[in-house]
Amino acid sequence: MTALGIRYDFRNPTFAGTTMQERYDAALDQIVWAEEHGFTSVTLSEHHGVDDGYLPSLFPFAAAVAARTSKIRIRLGALIVPLHDPLRVAEDAAVVDLLSHGRLEIVLANGYVASEFAMFDRSMSDRVKLVTEAVNTLRQAWSGQTFEFRGRSARITPRPAQRNGPPILLGGSSEGAARRAARIADGFIPSVPGLWDAYRDELRTLARADPGEAPRGGPMYLHVATDPNATWEVVAPYAMYEMNAYGAWAAESGSATGFAPISDSAALRAMGHYQVMLPEQCIDLCRSLGQRGHVTFHPMMGGLPPDAAWENLRLFGAQVLPHL
């Protein structure tokens, strides 16, 4: 069956009329629901200093997820690692991996928002160097042995639950990131289509296992509804907000993220990134993706209120899942 995932970033714009406490509580309840309904992963994303309260601290929320669940994989996707102390990342990850009985995996990203780097007094020109250093540091740290870090002795305890530590994946939007992931990471999460081929080519060059064709994914946002047109009117302000918020960062940085500022909700809907569909259409979509396919729900996308998010999930659970 197509793999099912769920994702949260905790944007909470003022027009949503929801407190952050309500949003956090709802997310934990929805993740428990997702696990009970066969979802295999939850993804948590971070950004810093954002007006809408975007989740800035992944490990505390990941620990809360670990405490409420027992099977679902917990993916930090992505940790903007140039903004973090790698030793502290190693410690926090080890603790969450133990709490979750070995269910943690980490996607490391270079980052691309200039204001975040200014806030943490980091240079954007050091990003590749810091990501490569972080991968090497985490692998050494999780061995439990003493090692050298920036000219000083370091040792990280306790060791994670997973024998070699949580899987380390790299995110990225360039061919260089794809090839770097093949050389130093356990996997690659491209932020734009077309980079999987470069990742796969580099793995073959290195005589490493071929991961096969790129996994097929569903839309960026999926909402199941009995009246898609009426539901789109509810969803559209939040989709517009998300597209423009990410689009502003992309425009400022010149990064190819798939987001761009837009002012027309009909045009946004036509792009296909945000899809509202009938249950039977969702059944067809999931079946068409096949065994290597995946669908990730982002139920509170752009600050969508918890009640609307629950309507989406519960209709999917009642009218789509039984047919898969």
Side-chain angles (χ1 to χ4, degrees):
M1 187 178 91
T2 296
L4 301 174
I6 197 164
R7 174 180 171 248
Y8 295 90
D9 57 22
F10 298 99
R11 286 190 183 274
N12 192 36
T14 54
F15 68 85
T18 305
T19 68
M20 192 59 83
Q21 188 69 70
E22 291 168 336
R23 199 169 290 282
Y24 277 32
D25 289 346
L28 286 171
D29 289 343
Q30 289 170 7
I31 294 165
V32 170
W33 177 94
E35 180 177 79
E36 292 170 347
H37 286 78
F39 284 58
T40 58
S41 67
V42 53
T43 298
L44 306 173
S45 303
E46 76 165 9
H47 277 292
H48 303 272
V50 186
D51 289 343
D52 59 28
Y54 201 121
L55 182 65
S57 190
L58 295 176
F59 289 106
F61 199 86
V65 173
R68 292 282 302 272
T69 59
S70 61
K71 294 180 291 186
I72 199 166
R73 296 286 297 177
I74 303 169
R75 170 177 285 183
L76 309 186
L79 181 77
I80 308 169
V81 78
L83 307 181
H84 295 270
D85 180 335
L87 297 181
R88 192 54 195 263
V89 170
E91 291 179 329
D92 288 345
V95 171
V96 173
D97 200 50
L98 287 163
L99 286 169
S100 68
H101 292 221
R103 290 183 283 132
L104 183 68
E105 55 188 54
I106 304 176
V107 183
L108 302 182
N110 290 4
Y112 66 99
V113 181
S115 61
E116 294 179 313
F117 282 77
M119 174 178 167
F120 286 93
D121 194 25
R122 300 288 199 277
S123 171
M124 294 187 74
S125 64
D126 292 334
R127 289 176 295 174
V128 172
K129 178 185 74 175
L130 291 172
V131 168
T132 301
E133 178 194 56
V135 173
N136 293 332
T137 301
L138 293 177
R139 295 203 193 285
Q140 292 180 86
W142 292 332
S143 73
Q145 302 300 310
T146 300
F147 64 100
E148 184 176 298
F149 175 74
R150 298 180 184 174
R152 59 187 190 268
S153 179
R155 186 178 180 218
I156 300 302
T157 60
R159 295 186 65 183
Q162 296 178 82
R163 180 181 178 87
N164 296 315
I168 301 171
L169 300 88
L170 294 191
S173 58
S174 68
E175 181 175 333
R179 295 187 180 278
R180 190 178 312 115
R183 292 193 300 272
I184 67 174
D186 299 314
F188 178 54
I189 308 296
S191 55
V192 293
L195 294 177
W196 187 262
D197 288 343
Y199 171 65
R200 192 179 177 191
D201 178 67
E202 188 71 12
L203 286 171
R204 284 194 293 251
T205 299
L206 297 167
R208 295 181 178 169
D210 186 347
E213 299 291 332
R216 300 181 65 193
M220 187 169 66
Y221 175 77
L222 174 62
H223 197 120
V224 183
T226 55
D227 187 340
N229 289 332
T231 300
W232 173 253
E233 295 303 313
V234 175
V235 167
Y238 301 95
M240 291 280 289
Y241 175 80
E242 180 182 77
M243 176 61 75
N244 284 311
Y246 280 121
W249 283 341
E252 176 187 324
S253 67
S255 300
T257 65
F259 292 91
I262 193 168
S263 59
D264 182 79
S265 66
L268 178 60
R269 190 178 187 184
M271 289 171 64
H273 290 44
Y274 301 85
Q275 294 189 27
V276 182
M277 61 181 65
L278 294 166
E280 51 266 36
Q281 293 174 313
C282 188
I283 293 167
D284 290 342
L285 168 67
C286 292
R287 288 175 174 170
S288 72
L289 295 173
Q291 293 293 322
R292 282 177 53 82
H294 61 91
V295 170
T296 299
F297 280 81
H298 188 186
M300 291 192 282
M301 171 275 304
L304 192 70
D307 287 349
W310 273 120
E311 289 177 4
N312 179 16
L313 293 175
R314 287 172 174 150
L315 189 60
F316 176 79
Q319 297 194 25
V320 176
L321 265 181
H323 299 280
L324 302 180

